[in-house]
Amino acid sequence: YYSVTASQEARPVYWDGGGDGESWDDPENWDVGELPQYTDEVYIFTGGEIFLPSFDYVEINSLNLQSGELHVTDGSFLDTYSYSFIGGAGGEPAVLTIEHSYGGSSVTFPGLIFGGPSGGDAILNVHGSGASFGELAIDSRADDEIGFQSLVRWNFFIDRDAPSPPIYANTVVLETEASSNPNAVVLDIGPDGDPFRLGDSFTLIEYFGNLLTGRFMTPDGDTIGDGGTFVSEGYTFLIDYDDGGTVSVQVVGLPPELPVIITQPTASQSIPLGGTATLSVTAGGDPAPEFQWYRGESGQTFSPIAGATSSTYTTPALDGSSQYWVRATNVNGVDDSRTAVVIVMTPDADLIG
């Protein structure tokens, strides 16, 4: 199923770096002295980092990236029409880095195959959301017991505010046919911007064909089973291979340096009219976090309470019900408490009760 299709005979075009040595859109970097066209099979065998600049629109038949790094910059458009290959020739790792903002870029591969029978490490770095693949697969020969073994790694850099999953695909193949341990793609996840918070959930891949074969691995070679946990970039994740068409994770543990609220404020308490309420939390982190209390629902920062900067806060005398929450902050990140509701019991409310 690795056939090349095009409206006319495909032309092989090789990167030789004879121009500036890094820009896709420099014709002198290609052996034919001009930029690749939509019918061309593009081959990159030399090391170094190659940049596809923002606002470039590139159409090629296929990509064969055997070493070095191709960096698809956010705002650029890269469309291929046939299966493409990353790694597989041995030597230095081949790296495909995709920066993709939903609605601001377009990255499309009918199929992307990783590794190969001669070894060769292959790395996919995905920043942002919405990259589109027909098939994402490890080469069935990439972990051949009688020969070489490819290291295939997919690194997801997640923006907590991204509107869509990093990857859309029809089919995802995470295993090889020849290996005694068929699960062959190492999974790595880290924040792209603000640190993750405890309880954050993210969809990594949405696969429309409902075809997912195999499971991810940890860097130590352990299979990450459905509902299993693993550690990446200091975070502990729980993974869910949903039969309905998604692979998603939830943050269930934080690196020790990040602030985390361990004991939450009481969710709801009642006081008499004119009474006060005391709210408190405990939090961890390195360095120890600082605190700021707010009025309103958790996450709403427009009503900070002056001077309320400890782990405990006592309200003034209240004549009406109110909501409060606290943010724990250190140099590594923030964590927000749940909303604490203080209900003021008026004489009428007591009679009704």
Side-chain angles (χ1 to χ4, degrees):
Y1 54 81
Y2 300 148
S3 61
V4 174
T5 59
S7 58
Q8 63 187 71
E9 183 177 354
R11 176 184 66 162
V13 175
Y14 292 84
W15 173 275
D16 61 22
D20 65 7
E22 63 177 24
S23 298
W24 180 288
D25 58 359
D26 183 349
E28 298 303 316
N29 285 323
W30 302 98
D31 69 326
V32 294
E34 63 181 10
L35 300 183
Q37 306 299 313
Y38 76 97
T39 57
D40 293 340
E41 298 173 340
V42 173
Y43 294 87
I44 300 175
F45 291 162
T46 58
E49 191 169 10
I50 302 167
F51 291 90
L52 200 163
S54 294
F55 310 113
D56 265 21
Y57 187 88
V58 172
E59 291 180 290
I60 56 176
N61 186 293
S62 62
L63 172 69
N64 196 315
L65 177 64
Q66 295 301 317
S67 66
E69 178 177 358
L70 175 59
H71 193 127
V72 183
T73 308
D74 190 19
S76 58
F77 294 79
L78 173 62
D79 291 336
T80 64
Y81 297 113
S82 298
Y83 274 82
S84 296
F85 298 84
I86 308 295
E92 293 298 315
V95 182
L96 176 62
T97 296
I98 298 173
E99 297 178 357
H100 193 286
S101 62
Y102 190 81
S105 306
S106 175
V107 179
T108 303
F109 286 90
L112 192 57
I113 309 300
F114 295 83
S118 300
D121 297 343
I123 299 172
L124 174 66
N125 298 320
V126 182
H127 300 256
S129 60
S132 178
F133 301 86
E135 179 175 7
L136 274 173
I138 185 168
D139 191 294
S140 62
R141 305 159 295 170
D143 196 9
D144 197 322
E145 292 175 326
I146 62 173
F148 302 92
Q149 183 173 7
S150 296
L151 171 64
V152 179
R153 180 189 296 269
W154 294 356
N155 302 322
F156 291 86
F157 300 88
I158 304 295
D159 180 351
R160 297 180 69 248
D161 299 322
S164 61
I167 287 177
Y168 292 104
N170 286 330
T171 303
V172 181
V173 180
L174 303 176
E175 68 178 11
T176 65
E177 298 174 1
S179 174
S180 57
N181 179 5
N183 305 294
V185 178
V186 173
L187 175 62
D188 190 51
I189 304 171
D192 195 3
D194 293 337
F196 298 145
R197 300 184 188 180
L198 203 62
D200 280 350
S201 295
F202 310 104
T203 297
L204 302 179
I205 303 171
E206 186 170 328
Y207 50 100
F208 299 106
N210 292 329
L211 294 174
L212 174 69
T213 306
R215 295 291 184 260
F216 283 109
M217 289 195 318
T218 68
D220 295 329
D222 298 324
T223 300
I224 309 172
D226 191 26
T229 60
F230 64 100
V231 177
S232 181
E233 304 297 321
Y235 296 90
T236 302
F237 297 93
L238 184 147
I239 195 165
D240 178 19
Y241 303 94
D242 183 2
D243 292 337
T246 61
V247 179
S248 59
V249 295
Q250 182 179 25
V251 179
V252 296
L254 299 176
E257 66 271 14
L258 284 178
V260 57
I261 294 177
I262 301 168
T263 304
Q264 295 284 343
T266 302
S268 178
Q269 59 179 297
S270 299
I271 62 172
L273 180 65
T276 65
T278 297
L279 307 169
S280 64
V281 297
T282 61
D286 185 17
E290 299 177 347
F291 300 93
Q292 175 62 61
W293 288 87
Y294 297 84
R295 291 192 65 166
E297 295 184 357
S298 181
Q300 297 178 348
T301 59
F302 46 78
S303 297
I305 301 172
T309 56
S310 71
S311 60
T312 299
Y313 170 64
T314 299
T315 71
L318 298 176
D319 57 6
S321 299
S322 298
Q323 295 176 316
Y324 302 91
W325 65 280
V326 66
R327 172 168 287 179
T329 305
N330 68 13
V331 294
N332 299 305
V334 302
D335 192 27
D336 296 341
S337 77
R338 68 187 177 190
T339 304
V341 179
V342 179
I343 301 172
V344 174
M345 302 295 292
T346 64
D348 289 342
D350 291 338
L351 290 174
I352 294 172

